[in-house]
């Protein structure tokens, strides 16, 4: 039996060896990180080391890192009415790009009548002119724009958006869950006020996320109240093992980023060139800057669910879009926002690569697509 090929890294990643080692070591600790005795202080040390590691990786201060249960919770926590910067009033409404993850489109704690959508271009990039128009009239807004789209891989103009948002007196939240470890990300250089991350997208464990704020952000209301953990911003005993694994994964991912990005770009380009030569495949968002590891494609008449099953039977794990929306039959909201017909959007298949992806895996995928294309698209 041939070894299976995993090409669904944007859904989740294998656990990095460094993260596994950190998790196993943390399991041997007894103390609660809020306890003052030696056992508690040792647990606290692991949490604070991970906090400092993540903060340094994204250009923030450790005191501005809030650990959560996942990226979804981090997004929900970030999307809070009443947030304020150093010189502005509280935000009263929320604007999100139409291609955001569903946890951002849900709007956090903003009421539905205070949420607006920002249009995107045919390539899936935020329309900055539409953003300006949305901000022109009305009270200060919190704007949420992801750093990199989880389906197309398109990189968003975060720095340019930050300038526009700040000129209007608003704040910018960036969902950087897909960007961390794949492209450089610095909260200060990009001008983001809040950013969110998830451990299992970079080789850490599932069930750990983080909200990171720039200096001077106030007004964050905790979604969970209780014992006052995370400086009263997120109650509940910290997931010490998961947080330790998160910190180890961040350190490993950032160390490997330059080499991994270059290698994955080459593999991605090889994959896309091969796909284009088979069954008239089209690559979405191929005309803009994208993540080095992400390919979203379709072909005339292709049904994504059938293709995903076909790849799976060939021993290759791929996706039809966001794993958080698996099982749905409606077309991708990302491609719909980009202006694609529902019939086209229903045929989109995503392949995403990672640090252990090899040229052989890409060749296996192309071999499988050649067989599937001839079978699924016959006639």
């Amino acid at each position: 039996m041939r070894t299976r090929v995993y090409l669904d890294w944007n859904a989740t990643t294998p656990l990095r060896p460094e993260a596994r080692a950190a998790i196993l070591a943390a399991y041997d600790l007894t103390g609660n990180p809020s306890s003052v005795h030696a056992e508690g202080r040792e647990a606290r040390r692991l949490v604070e080391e991970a906090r400092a590691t993540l903060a340094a990786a994204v250009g923030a201060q450790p005191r501005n890192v809030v650990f959560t249960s996942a990226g979804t919770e981090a997004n929900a926590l970030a999307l809070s009415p009443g947030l304020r910067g150093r010189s502005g009033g509280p935000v009263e409404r929320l604007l999100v790009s139409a291609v955001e993850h569903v946890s951002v489109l849900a709007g956090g704690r903003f009421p539905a009548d205070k949420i607006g959508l920002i249009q995107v271009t045919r390539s899936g990039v935020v329309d900055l002119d539409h953003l300006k128009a949305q901000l022109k009239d009305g009270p200060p807004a919190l704007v949420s724009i992801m750093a990199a789209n989880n389906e197309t891989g398109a990189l968003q103009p975060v720095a340019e958006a930050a300038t526009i948002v700040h000129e209007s007196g608003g704040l910018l939240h960036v969902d950087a869950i897909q960007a961390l470890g794949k492209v450089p990300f610095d909260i200060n250089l990009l001008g983001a006020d809040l950013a969110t991350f998830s451990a299992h997208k970079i080789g850490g464990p599932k069930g750990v996320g983080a909200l990171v704020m720039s200096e001077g952000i106030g007004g964050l209301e905790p979604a969970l109240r209780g014992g006052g953990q995370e400086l009263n911003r997120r109650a509940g005993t910290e997931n010490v093992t998961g947080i330790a694994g998160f910190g180890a994964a961040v350190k490993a991912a950032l160390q490997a980023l330059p080499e991994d990005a270059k290698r994955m770009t080459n593999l991605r380009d090889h994959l896309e060139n091969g796909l284009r030569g088979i069954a008239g495949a089209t690559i979405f968002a191929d005309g803009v800057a994208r993540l080095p590891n992400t390919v979203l494609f379709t072909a005339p008449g292709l049904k994504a669910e059938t293709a995903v099953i076909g790849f799976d039977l060939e021993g290759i794990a791929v996706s039809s879009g966001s794993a958080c929306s698996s099982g749905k039959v409606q077309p991708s909201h990302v491609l719909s926002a980009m202006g694609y017909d529902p019939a086209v959007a229903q045929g989109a298949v995503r392949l995403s690569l990672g640090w252990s992806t090899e040229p052989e895996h890409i060749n296996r995928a192309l071999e499988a697509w050649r067989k599937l294309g001839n079978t699924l698209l016959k006639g």
Side-chain angles (χ1 to χ4, degrees), residues 356-376:
S356 65
T357 305
E358 300 289 345
E360 174 193 354
H361 301 152
I362 302 303
N363 292 333
R364 284 270 306 277
L366 291 174
E367 175 188 327
W369 173 236
R370 189 172 290 106
K371 292 173 60 177
L372 292 170
N374 290 333
T375 302
L376 299 178

Side-chain angles (χ1 to χ4, degrees), residues 92-254:
E92 301 177 31
R93 57 186 176 128
L94 174 67
L95 298 176
V96 302
S97 89
V99 295
E100 294 301 303
H101 187 269
V102 290
S103 63
V104 171
L105 290 172
R109 287 172 281 179
F110 282 86
D113 63 349
K114 297 294 184 180
I115 303 173
L117 283 182
I118 309 163
Q119 296 172 2
V120 298
T121 67
R122 181 77 167 179
S123 296
V125 176
V126 169
D127 185 333
L128 295 178
D129 287 334
H130 189 246
L131 171 62
K132 290 178 183 178
Q134 292 275 68
L135 290 169
K136 187 174 182 180
D137 299 313
L142 174 63
V143 175
S144 185
I145 295 175
M146 61 193 349
N149 187 262
N150 50 306
E151 295 189 25
T152 66
L155 300 179
Q156 301 298 332
V158 173
E160 294 90 336
T163 298
I164 295 169
V165 171
H166 292 155
E167 287 176 349
S168 76
L171 298 175
L172 178 67
H173 163 251
V174 178
D175 176 346
I177 289 170
Q178 289 293 344
L180 185 64
K182 298 171 189 171
V183 293
F185 184 90
D186 187 294
I187 192 169
N188 292 314
L189 291 178
L190 292 173
D193 299 294
L194 307 98
T196 41
F197 307 92
S198 181
H200 77 104
K201 303 296 188 179
I202 59 167
K206 301 173 184 67
V208 187
L211 165 63
V212 178
M213 298 177 286
S214 64
E215 197 69 12
I217 298 299
L220 181 70
E221 287 292 327
L224 299 175
R225 299 178 185 275
Q229 290 87 352
E230 298 298 293
L231 294 180
N232 291 307
R233 296 169 300 191
R234 199 272 185 183
T237 300
E238 292 92 344
N239 176 4
V240 177
T241 53
I243 290 171
F246 193 177
V250 168
K251 186 177 294 185
L254 269 290

Side-chain angles (χ1 to χ4, degrees), residues 267-281:
L267 291 175
R268 182 200 67 188
D269 292 347
H270 173 48
L271 174 60
E272 291 182 350
N273 289 334
L275 289 171
R276 288 190 182 95
I278 303 169

